[in-house]
Structures are given as structure tokens and as C-alpha cells.
Amino acid sequence: MIAKRIIPCLDVKDGTTVKGTCFVNLRQAGDPVELGKAYSAAGADELVYLDITASHEGRKTFTEVVRRVAAEINIPFTVGGGINELDDVSRLLDAGADKVSVNSAALRRPQLITEIAERYGSQVCVCAIDARLDEDGWYCYVKGGRERTSRGLYEWAREAQERGAGEILFTSMNHDGTKQGFANASLATLHAELSIPVIASGGAGTMEHFRDAFLVGHADAALAASVFHFGEIPIAELKNYLKQQNINVRIS
């Protein structure tokens, strides 16, 4: 059985890690490189870095952050934010990233997923989906969760897989930052409909929430931010707890 992964997520704005609730009310959480080093030492399986502003100047700042991270950590890390074309992918991979995460740009132009998979391999392409459960169902959102699209969560996830995405990173906007647990029913549906790994994101507040994401939602990995950034759940303790729940995790 493939081990379940624990993935801290670092949202980077102007070179600093930030965290909000339901995509707003950002507060600073520390230096992204130092946090990455600490997570690597603590036993995190991977890291995700997201450039949440991704302006032209921000991209320059972020590329330098990626270089610094690559020089300091020895676990895989994914980067996303402002990736619109293959040149952006090359820039980040050359800086040391292992994978890239595409979101809004892929919804605007789904062919981008195909191009990344064909050029670099599916293992490099993570399709991030920010979705919200509205009155008429789960819909994908872009522009940092500010704009709803016409695409439903499940049909877009299926298309992303067909186009070559190697993983789906599903963030429930309803759950993000609330610490009330992951969107397990929707995770289970994604697991049933897809053959590629699904990463759960949005809602982690307790160790039991991670357990449920794996046992109820059948997620392949669980991603969180604030509970790690602010020391609420130490990664080593979390992994030991999951091991006791008969969940296969790597203990360093």
C-alpha cells in the first residue's frame, strides 16, 4: 500500500508566508525557506508553495524563493501561482521545483495541462481545483476564489486527468481555514471517479480530521497550513497518531 502523505502548504505573498480564512484575512506566518527547512526536518513528505499574488514583480520574488527553498530542503516540493505557459513551468523547474500546480490558467485554457504533461511528464503537473459547494452544486472558482466558473468540480477533475494531470489538489472553499474538517464526501467521490492521486485541502483543525480525510475521504495526501505554521499540530505527533489508526504513513 502506498503511504499517505502529509503536505504543509505555504502561501507566499511578497516573499513572506501568509495564511487566511476562506481565502481572505491574511496574516503573516514566517519566512518560507525557514518554514520549509523546519517541515523537512519534522518529517513532512512534501511541500507546496503558492505565489498568491503572482504579479510580474511577484514572480521574480517567488522564483528567488524557489531557488532558496531548493538549496535548503531535501523533500519534493510543488510550486504554483501565475503559471500560464510552458516558459513559466521551465523557469520554476530550473529554479529547483519538482512539480508545478496549475489552477486558473488551466481552467481558462485546458490545453495547458496537456502541454505540461507532454513536455515534462504527468508527474510534474498537479491540477489544483478551488471549488465551492453552492446551492446548485460544486463549482470551480478562479482568481483566488473570487470568480465562479461554469465548470463543475467532478467533470473538470475528470478532464484534467484525461489531459495528463498527475494529481488533483482539491481545496474546498467552504472548509478553508475553518478547522472543521475536510470535505470528505466530495473527496470520496473524486477518489471513486479518478485513477490519479487526490490531495485533500481545506479544513484541517485536528488530527482526527486528517484520519477522516484518509479513511472516509480516501485521500492520497492531506495538505494544511495554519495548524502547521502556528504549531497547533506537530507533524511527528500527527504521523504517530495516524500510524496508531492503522494508516500507512512514513515515519522518519
Side-chain angles (χ1 to χ4, degrees):
M1 185 186 299
I2 297 174
K4 304 293 189 179
R5 290 169 286 150
I6 300 299
I7 306 176
C9 179
L10 299 92
D11 292 340
V12 179
K13 182 177 186 290
D14 301 326
T16 299
T17 310
V18 296
K19 182 66 187 105
T21 301
C22 296
F23 286 43
V24 295
N25 301 324
L26 301 178
R27 56 177 172 155
Q28 292 194 357
D31 178 76
V33 180
E34 292 305 314
L35 278 171
K37 286 170 62 177
Y39 289 141
S40 178
D45 297 294
E46 298 182 18
L47 298 173
V48 170
Y49 285 87
L50 299 176
D51 179 355
I52 64 170
T53 47
S55 65
H56 179 65
E57 286 302 313
R59 287 187 191 186
K60 291 181 181 178
T61 302
F62 190 60
T63 304
E64 184 54 35
V65 168
V66 171
R67 281 199 188 90
R68 290 168 55 215
V69 169
E72 296 286 352
I73 71 169
N74 57 7
I75 59 174
F77 69 101
T78 300
V79 296
I83 296 172
N84 297 299
E85 56 191 12
L86 290 181
D87 284 350
D88 296 322
V89 179
S90 295
R91 172 173 52 84
L92 294 167
L93 294 179
D94 288 347
D98 298 280
K99 309 177 198 177
V100 296
S101 169
V102 292
N103 190 337
S104 300
L107 277 161
R108 282 195 305 270
R109 192 173 69 86
Q111 181 67 17
L112 178 62
I113 294 174
T114 309
E115 293 169 0
I116 295 171
E118 289 179 348
R119 172 82 62 92
Y120 306 103
S122 290
Q123 78 283 352
V124 164
C125 185
V126 178
C127 181
I129 302 176
D130 298 332
R132 192 172 79 184
L133 180 58
D134 295 328
E135 289 184 1
D136 52 347
W138 281 98
Y139 280 87
C140 302
Y141 278 71
V142 294
K143 297 182 179 177
R146 290 185 291 273
E147 183 178 304
R148 174 170 149 158
T149 73
S150 62
R151 304 301 302 266
L153 165 62
Y154 304 115
E155 53 102 0
W156 170 235
R158 287 193 300 270
E159 179 177 341
Q161 173 179 274
E162 290 163 4
R163 286 184 172 276
E167 291 181 283
I168 298 294
L169 168 54
F170 162 51
T171 300
S172 166
M173 293 173 59
N174 306 76
H175 296 73
D176 179 66
T178 64
K179 301 185 182 179
Q180 298 298 306
F182 293 94
N184 294 318
S186 300
L187 286 165
T189 300
L190 286 168
H191 170 76
E193 295 198 6
L194 302 175
S195 60
I196 58 176
V198 177
I199 304 168
S201 170
T206 68
M207 291 195 240
E208 289 78 13
H209 292 155
F210 287 88
R211 174 199 66 196
D212 292 346
F214 295 132
L215 296 182
V216 181
H218 302 290
D220 299 277
L223 176 148
S226 60
V227 293
F228 296 143
H229 297 342
F230 303 115
E232 295 163 35
I233 300 179
I235 290 174
E237 289 182 23
L238 172 60
K239 287 194 162 187
N240 285 328
Y241 166 79
L242 294 172
K243 201 79 166 178
Q244 292 167 7
Q245 303 297 311
N246 295 315
I247 294 168
N248 183 25
V249 291
R250 295 185 191 90
I251 303 289
S252 56

